[in-house]
Amino acid sequence: MLSFLKNHNETFLALFGFGVFISIAAGNAAMALSIVMFLYCCYVRKDSLKADINELMANSNLKYYLFGIGLFFTSTLLSVLFSGDIVTGIKLWAERWPWRFMFFLMPVITIKKDTQARNILLAILTGLTITGCYMIFQGFVAGENRANGFYGHPMMLAGILCEILPVLLVMLLNRDMFKLPKYSLEALFTLGLLALLANGTRGAWLACVITFVIILLFYIKKYPKQVMTILLCFAIAGGCIATSDRFVKRIDSMDNVTTDTSNTARLYMWRSAVAMYNDHPVLGVGEGQYRPAMEKYYVNSGLDKV
């Protein structure tokens, strides 16, 4: 059993990719198992681990990738050490960051074959398909304004869709990256877009639009026909959305900074965050200290009214 687990740690990454769409608890369980088995594999292969890391560092792309995540990880720790409440900061940092850092390392160390990456991606797309269908039912059949799939809060699922949809768009443009049966990518991408519409998270809509534009500009010289076809499909979809009062009202509310409390509350918090940055531009106020610092020192006078 341990031998199988040692040699198939990507199985747990696939379970996590699938489970994160279906159940937070299932996703967390798979995540914990994947981390445990990753550490176990590192222990078993400790003699060759240094050689594996040196091999990764020899790859220029992965070298900068590892340097970037290492720099980010170090900056979070430094922010804790120079915060106002070091004990609370270290406690929160230990709860949030070390296990998340593992997920930056596990794929590049664990995945050695294309088939392993393919299986993980297939698991993710399967989870997207199941949840996306349920979200479409919630939003367009059951009439829910904020489809949340199997989650408690719709914004959590919106964040995941914002990560998956740009990847699907790149795969649509670059078919050699990951070969799927004909029309399956188009169907998955359309499913994801409909699910995101049913989700109703305005920030996710805006984030995807900006990301899609950047991706299409990047690929327009290499794949001009594909880009123009996708733009035409987006234009047709936009025309259909413009006929729906439900979505038009949701989009119009994005620039309402007077009566929309969701927008005004964000503006107050952003102003406080800018003031906080001006006072602590390098290390910030410390892990877990944003809210208490904002409420004590930086709260805008209008925040308590929204």
Side-chain angles (χ1 to χ4, degrees):
M1 180 65 176
L2 287 177
S3 176
F4 171 82
L5 297 177
K6 181 182 70 173
N7 296 311
H8 295 83
N9 192 46
E10 75 278 359
T11 301
F12 293 103
L13 294 177
L15 286 174
F16 170 69
F18 174 79
V20 75
F21 281 101
I22 306 304
S23 164
I24 296 177
N28 287 339
M31 175 180 62
L33 285 172
S34 64
I35 292 175
V36 169
M37 293 316 305
F38 171 71
L39 295 175
Y40 170 73
C41 291
C42 289
Y43 172 75
V44 172
R45 299 174 60 242
K46 57 181 180 293
D47 293 335
S48 61
L49 187 60
K50 184 177 180 180
D52 291 341
I53 294 175
N54 289 334
E55 181 182 350
L56 292 175
M57 295 300 291
N59 184 309
S60 59
N61 293 326
L62 289 178
K63 178 174 69 175
Y64 290 116
Y65 167 79
L66 293 172
F67 174 78
I69 61 175
L71 182 63
F72 175 75
F73 187 74
T74 303
S75 66
T76 61
L77 183 58
L78 286 174
S79 178
V80 169
L81 298 178
F82 289 89
S83 65
D85 188 344
I86 296 179
V87 175
T88 300
I90 290 177
K91 179 177 180 296
L92 292 171
W93 180 86
E95 292 174 355
R96 296 174 181 176
W97 288 112
W99 59 270
R100 290 179 178 175
F101 183 70
M102 291 294 179
F103 268 82
F104 290 103
L105 293 177
M106 285 192 291
V108 295
I109 294 179
T110 300
I111 300 174
K112 300 294 184 181
K113 302 176 182 178
D114 291 344
T115 53
Q116 295 174 320
R118 181 185 179 87
N119 291 338
I120 294 173
L121 188 54
L122 284 174
I124 293 172
L125 297 181
T126 302
L128 169 65
T129 301
I130 295 172
T131 299
C133 289
Y134 182 44
M135 291 173 70
I136 291 170
F137 169 80
Q138 288 178 306
F140 297 103
V141 180
E144 297 182 22
N145 290 326
R146 302 292 303 277
N148 63 347
F150 302 100
Y151 278 62
H153 198 289
M155 291 180 68
M156 296 177 65
L157 195 51
I160 297 175
L161 289 173
C162 283
E163 297 172 2
I164 299 299
L165 285 172
V167 175
L168 287 176
L169 180 58
V170 171
M171 291 168 61
L172 274 172
L173 292 166
N174 190 356
R175 293 304 184 104
D176 294 333
M177 180 180 295
F178 186 79
K179 296 179 180 179
L180 283 175
K182 193 174 183 180
Y183 302 125
S184 58
L185 271 177
E186 290 90 339
L188 278 170
F189 188 66
T190 303
L191 177 74
L193 289 177
L194 289 173
L196 191 64
L197 278 176
N199 178 265
T201 301
R202 299 168 302 174
W205 294 351
L206 187 60
C208 280
V209 168
I210 294 173
T211 307
F212 291 165
V213 168
I214 294 173
I215 291 172
L216 293 176
L217 287 175
F218 182 80
Y219 279 102
I220 193 167
K221 287 186 178 180
K222 190 174 183 180
Y223 304 110
K225 292 183 179 179
Q226 292 91 324
V227 169
M228 295 308 297
T229 301
I230 290 173
L231 286 174
L232 178 62
C233 292
F234 282 166
I236 295 172
C240 295
I241 292 172
T243 63
S244 170
D245 289 340
R246 169 188 171 186
F247 294 117
V248 169
K249 289 179 180 178
R250 191 74 178 148
I251 294 172
D252 285 342
S253 67
M254 287 184 179
D255 61 356
N256 182 350
V257 295
T258 54
T259 59
D260 190 305
T261 56
S262 178
N263 291 344
T264 53
R266 284 177 171 84
L267 287 174
Y268 288 130
M269 287 188 287
W270 292 343
R271 289 167 186 162
S272 298
V274 170
M276 196 181 301
Y277 170 78
N278 290 333
D279 290 341
H280 307 275
V282 179
L283 297 172
V285 294
E287 183 72 20
Q289 304 302 304
Y290 166 74
R291 182 166 184 170
M294 185 190 72
E295 293 176 347
K296 188 174 182 180
Y297 302 110
Y298 298 96
V299 66
N300 188 284
S301 59
L303 186 60
D304 57 346
K305 299 177 183 178
V306 298

